[in-house]
Amino acid sequence: MTVMQPSVLNLKELPSDLDRNRLPRHVAVIMDGNGRWAKHRGLPRIMGHRQGVDALKKLLRCCKDWGIEALTAYAFSTENWGRPLEEVDFLMTLFERVLMRELQEMIEENVRIQFVGNLAALPRSLQDQIERSMTATQGNSGIQFTVATNYGGREEILQACRAIATQVQQGKIQPDEIDEALFSRYLYTANVCDPDLLIRTSGEMRLSNFLLWQMAYGELYITEALWPDFDRTQFHQALSAYQQRHRRFGKV
Ligand code: FPP
């Protein structure tokens, strides 16, 4: 007889070793290793991205089941335009198709989706689909799902500076009113709390220009697993590691 893991018996149930009261409110992910996952199987890189979408969808459902309030995923960085044209085109089309395919389910599952980044530089049809998805889910009260697309942390900070400088120039803000809380309101992520936990797959130990301001005190969890292999068991391990950390926020 096969002994089943409790998480397999009841997917909605939080594993019993995790403390419900000390879960991260906001989890962010750098989904690295799609290309390598495909290469190890003798497949084209794009197959890794397809499989990566599946892993992301499963993680979103898991976060929802386990009561995590927000999930943010780094789908495309401002530096990713430097990839071969066919791969960039494939990714743009993939984002659009995924959005179209999953929209109804996101509405039904009460997911609120938003895209952050320099969206104006994305293909027009993708911008339209993003707009539709955000509008259709904006009234939902469930998990906040943020997809960073054409996102760069430094660029995000610069656009906030420009916007604040304009307000100062117009006399609407006094320079000494600029504090952390005000600055945060000018970031793309103004409507969501800072991530408590950032997970990066495939063993790389960098932030890669992701959520530079927001990750000031966030915990980092790096796993060797490639993104398409990141599943509930891996997420469970990440949460267990997070719950063993002692967060001090610069205090003793
Ligand atoms: C990094 O792997 C992954 C990406 C650049 C793309 C990730 C995008 C998705 C999984 C799709 C998300 C879609 C929506 C609509 C939410 P890599 O190519 O850098 O892998 P490598 O490091 O092995 O080369």
Side-chain angles (χ1 to χ4, degrees), residues 30-39 45 48-57 73-77 80 83 87 91 94-99 102 106 113 115 126 145-149 200-202 204 226-228:
I30 301 182
M31 310 179 285
D32 211 0
N34 290 348
R36 273 163 284 173
W37 181 92
K39 194 170 171 219
R45 291 176 55 82
H49 296 316
R50 265 207 192 130
Q51 204 63 31
V53 171
D54 240 50
L56 181 57
K57 190 176 168 187
Y74 203 5
F76 195 87
S77 73
N80 285 153
R83 293 186 175 215
E87 185 170 338
L91 282 168
L94 180 73
F95 298 158
E96 197 176 324
R97 288 208 183 127
V98 168
L99 277 183
E102 304 295 336
M106 285 193 286
I113 190 171
F115 279 72
L126 175 56
F145 179 39
T146 303
V147 185
T149 311
R200 181 162 192 166
T201 53
S202 93
E204 313 284 354
L226 302 177
W227 176 252

Side-chain angles (χ1 to χ4, degrees), residues 219-240:
E219 295 289 327
L220 278 168
Y221 178 83
I222 314 284
T223 167
E224 290 296 326
L226 302 177
W227 176 252
D229 292 326
F230 191 83
D231 57 11
R232 257 175 210 249
T233 309
Q234 304 273 344
F235 188 44
H236 180 176
Q237 278 167 14
L239 294 178
S240 299

Side-chain angles (χ1 to χ4, degrees), residues 63-115:
C63 285
K64 180 176 172 273
D65 289 350
W66 290 356
I68 286 162
E69 288 170 39
L71 174 68
T72 297
Y74 203 5
F76 195 87
S77 73
T78 43
E79 291 72 36
N80 285 153
W81 296 108
R83 293 186 175 215
L85 186 63
E86 314 83 74
E87 185 170 338
V88 170
D89 280 350
F90 176 85
L91 282 168
M92 295 300 148
T93 311
L94 180 73
F95 298 158
E96 197 176 324
R97 288 208 183 127
V98 168
L99 277 183
M100 236 184 283
R101 193 181 69 205
E102 304 295 336
L103 181 58
Q104 194 48 40
E105 203 172 323
M106 285 193 286
I107 295 172
E108 284 160 17
E109 297 211 18
N110 204 18
V111 174
R112 195 165 67 246
I113 190 171
Q114 69 170 348
F115 279 72

